[in-house]
Structure formats: structure tokens, C-alpha cells
Amino acid sequence: MPQPYDPVASPFRPLLLRGVRRVAVSGRRDEEPVDVRLADGRVAEVGRRLAAAGAEVVDAGGSWALPGLWDQHVHLGQWGMTFSRLDTAGAARPSDVLDQVAARVRELDAAGAPRQQVVTGFGHRTGAWWEPARVDELDRVSGGHPVVLISGDVHSCWMSSAALSLLGLPPRTGPLEELEWFQVQPRLLQLPGAAEQNEAGVAQAVRAAAARGVVGVTDFEFAANHRLWPRRLASAALPLRVRAGVYPELLEEVVALGLRTGSPLAPEHDPAGLLRMGPLKIISDGSLNTRTAWCCEPYATSSAQLAGQPTTGTVNYPAEQLADLLRRATAAGLEVAVHAIGDAAVGAAADVFAATGARGSVEHVQLARVEDLARLASLGVRASVQPVHLLDDRDVTELNWPGRADRCFMFRTMLDLGVELRFGSDAPVAPLDPWQAMAAAVHRSGDDREPWHAEQAVTAAEALAASTDGVPALVPGAPADVVLVDRDPLAEQPGSAAVAAHLRSVQVLATVVAGRRTV
């Protein structure tokens, strides 16, 4: 069993993993079990029949050992809150959501809940809806309760009039979208009971992530993450590596504090260096499901049906403003993560990386032109992608971007061009589960249908390489972040469907972060 985690224990007591079969992201593996000694946050020694020499010994029993898994794009607070929110993911139309809200309100009223108790939901995707979401219709079923309904892509929020008033927002007829919504989202923690529920959800999310072999995340929550995570470490001793992202609204504060990408956030309480400053996150366009991703060609649905939205999507930051943000971040030593889902947005991101010399990643890269991917490769800009999105967005892509699906989620093309891939979930948009992500990238189908553009599939070894934060193998000098699993995840299988099923079937036996067991 893992020992209670103590963030200020330094130096760490050595840990000896006895009898493991190492799997490298190249596909190479140990034929016979070996012992792996972890000390001072690193792999110190690998060999057979190593002496314990005061180390805590874990008998691995011939299980398979991998470098620790990372999720490079999460909104951890939002993900944690989904465990207690009304699940609206199956809604095919606005009336389906209204029925769910009405049922929840009846439950609250029957239990004698106060009128100020908030009903919060998450998961519906409006990209295939043909009717608008209206505030007055939500008011009719809310029973006076404040209702906050966050879309499954987190790019819009449908609120009742009571919720708008509670948050100090003026009346409106439809949902908040894009920057208007992102600026309001942190204020949700001001709703009754929300802050406590958020922190409980984060703790639950961290435990669930560790159980899937996750040792680290890049957290892009809409919050002061550089301040929040040190408090969490001190109060709850959460055993996870975190790169804390920052948004433009707090860029000057981070710069004034002298924080650069990779800077420790709590050195006095965190000798293992679990908490580090991450990149500046810029959401340059919207999303497919909100029909706001910025595209070179119009959406197939009409502007009237989109309630007046621009048919090619939304530009959240004009080119000059985007370039200014990248220059300021680069001058301060921060990497940049530019959210770009539509092909026009990906092209604009390549433009601004080239113009400013900034380092970092483009997040999502959902629809792209090959020539822009080639530019990302030449610039050394990473592609931070979320493979499970291709399962969720398969049908809505064909509806809104017909004839363009061959340029969606081009993982094979990216690798062949030399773009470095990093996998994530974008939780809560998709579950925080690297095994699901790897399976989706390999097979590109989540049901009985044939793979969706199978020519863009990657191998299991390539998927694993995109999931270990650039660590290729458990060799001396590698971080002491290890996952023990019950089977070789790279064992050969007869076809991509079988490979995906095999990856999803892997069971995590133990997770080790900085030399300490967390599972």
C-alpha cells in the first residue's frame, strides 16, 4: 500500500522496484525482470538482484513498468466539478436539457432545498442542435433556482435569469460564449458552496488520475493557478506534478513575481519540485461544437440558423494583439500555448510563432492545412492534441465541415512532418484517461464503425511516446515517475481495433511520483 504522502520529506527514502519488465516508448522491453532503484527523485540504478540498502522494497512480481503518464491539457477544477454536476451530455436538443433541469428542480423542491440552491449542469453539445438555447425557456423550468449549464466543450454557458442576476450580469436571451463566458467562469466559485465543492472535486480528480497512471498535468483552469496549487499542496498534500497555466488577465502578475516556465511555485514546501509554472494560455478562436472555431471556409449551416454567428467562426484575439501577448510572454521567459481549433486559427498561430520567436505549443490543432503543420514542424512548435475529441466530434464534423474531415486530427501527418505530439484530454471535455486517448489515436473509432480516416492513425508505441512527457525509458537519470501495469501495453495485436481494446484493458497496479507511491 502507498505510504501517506509528505511533500516536505527530503531527501526521499529510496524505493526499490523489484522484478519489473521495463517498456520503452520505442517499443523495446525487458525480456527478463530487472530491479529499478529510485532515489532523490531520479532513476538511480537498474540491474538484477540489487541490494535493498535501506530502500523501501516493492515486489513488482514481473509486472510491466513504464515512464509516468502525463495529461498535457486539463481544466482540473472543472473536471472535478463534473463528478457532482447534472450530466447533460446526452441531450440531442434544448428540450432534453430542460426536461433534466425540471426533474432536478422537482427533486430539490421535494427535499425542501432553499430557492438559492444552484443547479449546475455540464456536457451538452450544441453543434448538432437546430434550435437555440433560450434563457426564458430555462426560466420556465427552473422554479426560481439559479441554473448554470456549461456546454461539453466549455465554450458556452446557458444560465437562467436568477443565475445571471446572482453573478451580477445583465439580462440576455441566450448563452454566453467565448471570451465573454471565459471572463465570467472564475466567478462561478462565488456561488453558494461552489468553492468547497471545487476543492473536493480537485482532490477526487487527482486521486482518479493517479489510479490511471497519471503523474503530471498541465492545468489550464480559469483561475490563479500559480497561487492555488501551492495552497493545495500545503493543505492536502496532493501527489501530482502540475504545470500551472496562466491566462492573459494574470500575465502581468506572473511576470511581476518573476515566474518563468519551469519555475518552482512553492520551493519551501515542495523539495520534489512537483509544482512548476506552466505556459501562457491564449484561446485564439472558439470550438467546433459552439460553431466558433475560426475556419478558412464557412460552416455548412446557415448564419440564420446560427443565430447570427459569423459563419467562419470567431477570432478572439486580432493578429496584432496575439503577437503582442507572445512577445511579452517570451521576454518574461514564459512558453505559450495557443488554442487553435479551426484551420484559419492554426495558420494564424503559425504566423505569430514565426513572427515572435516564441516557444511552446498549439493546443488542439483539430482542423489544419498541411502547409501550416509543416511550418509548426520547422518552428519546433509542439502540437498538444486530445485524441478522444475525434470520437466525440466525428459526426458533428461531417455536419458542419463536410469535405474537410480528411484534414481533422492529422496525427500521422504531424508525426511524418516532424511535429512533436503531446497527448491530453482537455478534461472535462473528455475524461482524464491517457489509456482512452492512446486507444483513440490508434484506432480512430469509438463504436462499431470503421476507423475515421484510418490513414491518420498512429502506432501504440507512438501514442505512448506522446503520453510520457518526452521521457523515453526508465533508465538511470530519468525522473522517478513510474507506472506499474498488469500487461505489456505494446504487445502485438491483430489490427487496430484489437490494439485499442488492449490499451483500454490495461490495469494500473501502482503509480510512483518523485519516488513515492501514490497508488
Side-chain angles (χ1 to χ4, degrees), residues 440-465:
V442 167
H443 183 48
R444 297 181 69 94
S445 180
D447 49 35
D448 292 335
R449 290 180 289 181
E450 290 297 309
W452 190 41
H453 289 280
E455 72 277 4
Q456 292 297 340
V458 301
T459 67
E462 289 167 335
L464 180 61

Side-chain angles (χ1 to χ4, degrees), residues 5-12 40-41 70 215 225-226 229-235 237-244 262-277 481 513-516:
Y5 189 82
D6 179 1
V8 296
S10 180
F12 290 138
D40 297 322
W70 274 73
V215 301
N225 296 307
H226 59 289
W229 277 105
R231 292 204 294 269
R232 287 169 177 158
L233 184 78
S235 64
L238 298 177
L240 184 74
R241 293 191 186 275
V242 177
R243 295 186 184 124
S263 295
L265 293 180
E268 67 279 12
H269 301 298
D270 180 25
L274 301 183
L275 305 184
R276 302 279 179 174
M277 190 66 220
D481 301 334
V513 177
R516 287 291 179 99

Side-chain angles (χ1 to χ4, degrees), residues 87-384:
D87 182 3
T88 62
R93 57 190 65 84
S95 60
D96 294 339
V97 178
L98 296 173
D99 290 344
Q100 288 184 272
V101 171
R104 176 60 62 87
V105 167
R106 288 193 295 271
E107 293 173 0
L108 292 175
D109 291 347
R115 277 286 178 264
Q116 67 267 29
Q117 183 160 338
V118 181
V119 175
T120 307
F122 171 81
H124 56 281
R125 295 172 184 264
T126 63
W129 287 6
W130 296 100
E131 305 124 36
R134 296 182 56 84
V135 172
D136 58 354
E137 292 180 345
L138 189 55
D139 288 345
R140 278 196 287 271
V141 301
S142 68
H145 288 275
V147 181
V148 177
L149 303 172
I150 302 169
S151 65
D153 60 3
V154 200
H155 277 251
S156 69
C157 184
W158 182 12
M159 296 189 198
S160 68
S161 294
L164 292 166
S165 176
L166 197 59
L167 290 167
L169 300 171
R172 59 188 303 120
T173 60
L176 288 80
E177 295 180 349
E178 299 305 330
L179 285 182
E180 183 183 24
W181 156 235
F182 298 144
Q183 291 165 359
V184 170
Q185 190 174 104
R187 289 156 61 183
L188 296 184
L189 293 181
Q190 300 171 9
L191 296 174
E196 296 80 4
Q197 186 182 33
N198 181 75
E199 290 308 305
V202 167
Q204 186 177 352
V206 169
R207 291 192 296 269
R212 301 304 291 145
V214 174
V215 301
V217 300
T218 302
D219 189 12
F220 288 129
E221 188 57 89
F222 297 96
N225 296 307
H226 59 289
R227 287 189 256 121
L228 272 176
W229 277 105
R231 292 204 294 269
R232 287 169 177 158
L233 184 78
S235 64
L238 298 177
L240 184 74
R241 293 191 186 275
V242 177
R243 295 186 184 124
V246 61
Y247 285 85
E249 293 76 12
L250 290 172
L251 175 59
E252 291 308 314
E253 177 182 326
V254 165
V255 171
L257 290 170
L259 295 174
R260 306 165 66 90
T261 295
S263 295
L265 293 180
E268 67 279 12
H269 301 298
D270 180 25
L274 301 183
L275 305 184
R276 302 279 179 174
M277 190 66 220
L280 170 67
K281 170 73 178 298
I282 304 171
I283 303 179
S284 74
D285 74 335
S287 75
L288 167 62
N289 279 275
T290 307
R291 296 184 178 109
T292 49
W294 181 28
C295 303
C296 298
E297 303 168 68
Y299 285 74
T301 44
S302 72
S303 58
Q305 290 164 323
L306 299 180
Q309 293 177 9
T311 57
T312 55
T314 298
V315 179
N316 288 326
Y317 291 90
E320 299 81 3
Q321 188 178 3
L322 187 61
D324 178 63
L325 285 170
L326 264 70
R327 290 191 183 96
R328 287 161 57 195
T330 302
L334 291 167
E335 290 193 352
V336 182
V338 178
H339 162 120
I341 287 181
D343 51 358
V346 173
D351 289 342
V352 75
F353 272 104
T356 62
R359 310 296 299 175
S361 63
V362 178
E363 304 292 315
H364 308 303
V365 202
Q366 186 161 340
L367 174 67
R369 297 170 295 193
V370 173
E371 57 268 31
D372 290 328
L373 298 179
R375 288 200 292 155
L376 295 182
S378 67
L379 292 166
V381 176
R382 301 184 299 275
S384 174

Side-chain angles (χ1 to χ4, degrees), residues 379-400:
L379 292 166
V381 176
R382 301 184 299 275
S384 174
V385 298
Q386 299 75 41
V388 175
H389 289 358
L390 73 87
L391 309 182
D392 297 332
D393 288 352
R394 178 173 185 165
D395 295 326
V396 75
T397 296
E398 300 290 358
L399 176 66
N400 287 287

Side-chain angles (χ1 to χ4, degrees), residues 38-63:
L38 309 176
D40 297 322
R42 294 284 169 183
V43 176
E45 188 179 9
V46 176
R48 289 192 174 89
R49 295 179 293 278
L50 297 179
E56 176 191 353
V57 178
V58 174
D59 184 358
S63 58

Side-chain angles (χ1 to χ4, degrees), residues 212 391 433-447 487 489 496-508:
R212 301 304 291 145
L391 309 182
D433 187 339
W435 303 102
Q436 285 196 40
M438 286 186 269
V442 167
H443 183 48
R444 297 181 69 94
S445 180
D447 49 35
R487 66 201 68 187
S496 65
V499 174
H502 181 72
L503 287 167
R504 289 192 297 267
S505 73
V506 170
Q507 298 297 308
V508 172

